[in-house]
Amino acid sequence: MTAPTLILPERSRAVASDLRAAIGAHKVKDDYSTLTAYAVDASIYRMEPKAVVLVESEEDIAATVRYAVERGIPLTPRAAGTNLTGSAIGSGIILDVSRLNRILEVNREEHWARIQPGIVLAELNRQLGRQGLLFGPDPSSGDMCKLGGMLANNSSGPHTLRYGAVKDNVAALRVCLQSGDWLDAKAYGLDDPVCTNLLKAHRPLHDLRSLLQDHAALIAQKRPTVSKNSCGYNLFGLADGIARGCFDLPKLFVGSEGTLGLFSEATIRLVEKPCATLTALIHFHRLEDVGDAVPKLLELSPSALEVMDANTLNLIGRAKHGIPSDAAATLLVELDGDVVGSDLRAQAERMIDISRRYRLASDPVIAFDPEQREQLWKARKALYPTLYRFDPKKKPINFVDDVVVPAERISELIRYLEEFFAGQRVPVAIFGHIGNGNAHIIPLLDVNDHDDFQKMVQGYHEIHKTVLSRFGGSICGEHGDGRVRAEYVKTMFGPELYDLFVRVKQSFDPTGVLNPGIKISDRSFTEHIDHVRLSKPCATCAKCNAVCPVYDVFQSEDMSSRGWFEIVTDKNYSYLNSKRVVEACLNCKSCRTACPAGVDVSQLILDRRAENPNEMAGIIFRFHAQTARFEQFLKFLARFQSLWDRPMVRRFLDRLTKPFMHRLAETARLSPQLVLPRLALRHLRDRYPELIPHAGKTAHAPVAYFHGCAANYFDDGVGDAVIAVLRKHGVEPDLPPQRCSGTPIETYGHRALAKEGARVNLASMAGYEKVVTGCASCTLMLKDYPTLFAGEPEQAVAQALAKRVTHISEFVAQSPVKPAMAGSQATKCKVAYHSSCHLRAAGVTKEPRAILAGLPGVDYVEMPDADRCAGGAGTYLVKDFETSQRIVERKRKAVGESGAEVVATSCPACMIQLRTGLQGAAEVKHVAQLIQEAYEAADGQ
Ligand SMILES: Cc1cc2nc3c(=O)[nH]c(=O)nc-3n(C[C@H](O)[C@H](O)[C@H](O)COP(=O)(O)OP(=O)(O)OC[C@H]3O[C@@H](n4cnc5c(N)ncnc54)[C@H](O)[C@@H]3O)c2cc1C
Ligand code: SF4
Ligand code: SF4
């Protein structure tokens, strides 16, 4: 069945405006940025749509479906766009379900829940986890993929061994059929009158029932014999249902990849969260032993059993992950305990006994501790995008990525593949769910090189053929057929069964508008490959979207980190056609911290802003650079703050400053709700004259305190606390002359001005053994000066400074001096930590937490979303106050959930944002202030 080309050009122009009229203007987009961002998913393909619809209700879905059918326009449902097969991109309308992201109902006793399709798996399990529940299927993309995509792909993951795939965990679906009618797809008893009525009401169901009956023998004969399969339509699951006397409709729709209907809701089955878990790494010296060990390890009923071959270990870096140089393959084994107080030690012993029968490259590594276990999984889950770091040209290409063979033959498969790719001289990573015999095969190729392209085509056919003929396997275990495997579905099942698939598709989608080109299509897998993108460094994996605060709020790909990478690197990009999105980034750097491929989207955006510096910001920052005049002005404002910082006056000021603010950004304003810090009448430098090094002084104190702007100008006690803490550790710091570290300046595109200040700082901080910081953004910016001066004469000095920059929490953690601490009335409370994005990006995550947890009297709680941006981001809360408040909403809930009375952090903008957003629900303090209080309490005793 060929994917139809359905849109006539004169019609296409009207698509978005028609849809706007039908379902509302704010839900439909067709501007350049949106179409560019939605042209990709995590596959190797690119297709630009005509319009994107962000549905918010079942009515929106049905109206869009009806419109697409009536006009013959291809309609592609989309959730997170993390599929690896090209199934969430299309040439017509993209229907994004991300805004339908609520948990509608949870039944704790009966272990089920009704869920909308736009919820992210990690978020779903986080919320279910509060009730001790879990949705079992766990694709490695769980931090970013959404339920809708999981359902449509029949996803599974490492723990499928225990919990099965999605198809095994769905009780019902709400499906919008091509007619625009809604179907409650459940397992109906064949003699249930409801079933009879449904067959009468929906012709496709009637046809399906007859097809199953007429071709039962063929379906039984062609049933895959391996333990996992997501290729083709699941007529086998339906046939099983018929044998049990029911019409098990979810089995048809789960795994149908948006080609038969669209889901607005699913009733999913839940399991109890395990009470204890153990994760182990076993490094084998010989690949052959892995295949032998698997059946023996399976006797321990592991919940996960994963393999990484030698090449994969080389590619991800053995030293970095503590993997022995002579390991031929590594197994990752996980065991769960289901009873409270479960002790998995006995099972761990048995596992070690089994593995010792083989030649191991080192002793097995066993981790009970959640953090250690998370590290092991983190490397495994980020494998595919991490491979993007390997070579600037040769990229990991998913085209034979998901085969399944009998589990006990996995070593044989790996050996075959290693020999095949060695013959082609192509580096390849092979890893996957060995317990199910499901291997992910990711060769590294330059698809823009003719020879490599030919190798890809050859590998596609040869490997798939071998998996079918020699191993009796499946070409698709969990990723779906999409565009990449559609061409091979017929070969997998033979023409007769394929013909049944075509009949099912035609019956449910007679006009062929539902995700054409996907699953049932004879188009070559090489059509629509995105040659340009595959020469870029981004894997389009969407891990950055999962942490991007803007995406979290807007749930739209044009307002996301991955989307912005596409936009700002697109050949048709211009500041004018993309200003809306380029100016929306907070420069929080969360994307950079999360990206396994080493891409820094925030930097690319800063580069684009530097091409169009904001004029108004330039005026402000140039004034700011005239330190003496600027400080006089601030002191003047400080003197009268009690007059102007009143609700009435602030409202007036908000109106008065609008024209200036507007020149900063269309959304900028000085909202009266913004809780401003008290401006200092005497700046920090005025208060500590003894710490200011005299001009011309040659001998330095060993430690400089880079206080930055906020600690100097605000009367919030932060600068005093940092100095007091340093003094407690026997350090009398210098406060050398300093200019703004540069973060806010660069954010508005004034790179030259940022560099001017940076040069002053480089000179001023030279010669100090340590440069202590209290502010998260200053910490990161000083550490980032080598990037700011990349290729310039200052780079070497900048690198030297970067090594010496130490956040106050690192300083305290590393200090050999351990001053006495005590609890006081003020510190005896529940404290949570909000990890400022820039401090996280600077690599400082553990120290503040460890310090807070060790403070006497403090009941430290790790709050949910501690590592998510709070939306302050320097001056973002001025630039776009409304969005910043939408971002902080999630933080407010997290703080409430944790029960914290104090939220500790280390960034002045975060402090302002938290005080504004929490509205007094918890006190906000700098980490240094809490440390100082503990020292003072000890002094007072
Ligand atoms: C790093 C990485 C690791 C991965 N690991 C795994 C893994 O371990 N296991 C695995 O199974 N997959 C894996 N994947 C692939 C992918 O993440 C999963 O298949 C995921 O479940 C897709 O979800 P999504 O929300 O991104 O869906 P999308 O990509 O948006 O869509 C996937 C399919 O679902 C359809 N769809 C979406 N919403 C609906 C709806 N409401 N109604 C009807 N159809 C809909 C789309 O049309 C498309 O056909 C991985 C991907 C990456 C990038
Ligand atoms: S920038 Fe990094 S995290 Fe984001 S999509 Fe690209 S590779 Fe993935
Ligand atoms: S810097 Fe923050 S807001 Fe900007 S793209 Fe990255 S994660 Fe999103």
Side-chain angles (χ1 to χ4, degrees), residues 252-272:
L252 174 71
F253 292 105
V254 171
S256 62
E257 300 180 37
T259 62
L260 302 179
L262 286 83
F263 318 139
S264 65
E265 188 185 313
T267 306
I268 54 173
R269 297 196 189 95
L270 307 173
V271 293
E272 295 281 334

Side-chain angles (χ1 to χ4, degrees), residues 77 79-83 87 140-141 146 149-150 152-153 155-156 257 263 478:
T82 68
N83 75 84
S87 61
S140 304
S141 50
K146 298 174 181 172
M150 292 177 66
N153 269 6
S155 291
S156 55
E257 300 180 37
F263 318 139
E478 58 184 23

Side-chain angles (χ1 to χ4, degrees), residues 593-635:
T593 313
C595 178
V599 178
D600 184 352
V601 179
S602 57
Q603 186 62 36
L604 292 170
I605 292 173
L606 289 181
D607 292 347
R608 290 309 201 181
R609 286 187 191 168
E611 294 163 7
N612 290 275
N614 181 280
E615 223 175 281
M616 189 61 179
I619 296 170
I620 298 169
F621 288 124
R622 268 189 289 276
F623 178 41
H624 182 200
Q626 298 170 33
T627 313
R629 281 179 61 201
F630 183 73
E631 291 187 351
Q632 281 312 315
F633 174 66
L634 283 187
K635 284 175 187 172

Side-chain angles (χ1 to χ4, degrees), residues 547-550 561 564 585-591 601-602 605:
V547 294
C548 179
V550 179
S561 178
W564 292 339
C585 166
L586 278 78
N587 188 29
C588 71
K589 310 276 188 210
S590 300
C591 48
V601 179
S602 57
I605 292 173

Side-chain angles (χ1 to χ4, degrees), residues 868-904:
R868 281 198 85 91
C869 177
T875 59
Y876 189 82
L877 70 181
V878 171
K879 190 176 176 187
D880 188 346
F881 181 75
E882 266 67 40
T883 304
S884 84
Q885 294 317 292
R886 287 175 71 189
I887 294 171
V888 82
E889 183 59 22
R890 184 163 174 156
K891 193 63 71 174
R892 199 176 58 75
K893 282 191 192 138
V895 172
E897 220 177 279
S898 72
E901 297 155 273
V902 173
V903 180

Side-chain angles (χ1 to χ4, degrees), residues 42 94 257 355 371 374 476 538 563 634 778 782 795 839 878:
I94 302 289
E257 300 180 37
S355 44
E371 198 183 324
E374 202 183 306
C476 175
C538 168
L634 283 187
C778 294
L782 295 182
Q795 196 176 11
L839 201 59
V878 171

Side-chain angles (χ1 to χ4, degrees), residues 345-394:
R345 269 158 237 275
Q347 261 177 296
E349 281 306 318
R350 280 182 62 203
M351 183 171 58
I352 292 169
D353 279 352
I354 293 172
S355 44
R356 288 236 168 91
R357 291 177 210 163
Y358 305 98
R359 231 180 109 198
L360 300 183
S362 72
D363 280 343
V365 182
I366 311 268
F368 289 94
D369 168 40
E371 198 183 324
Q372 219 185 340
R373 289 182 32 241
E374 202 183 306
Q375 285 309 317
L376 296 177
W377 278 113
K378 207 172 159 186
R380 160 65 188 89
K381 288 186 175 182
L383 254 175
Y384 155 63
T386 304
L387 296 173
Y388 258 72
R389 289 175 183 263
F390 175 71
D391 190 283
K393 283 195 161 170
K394 292 194 184 291

Side-chain angles (χ1 to χ4, degrees), residues 29 66 87 105 148 266 300 385 484 493 627 670 687 758 770 855:
K29 295 184 182 183
R66 282 199 198 98
S87 61
E105 190 182 354
L300 299 177
V484 79
F493 289 108
T627 313
L670 207 58
R687 299 200 296 274
K770 265 195 177 127
L855 293 178

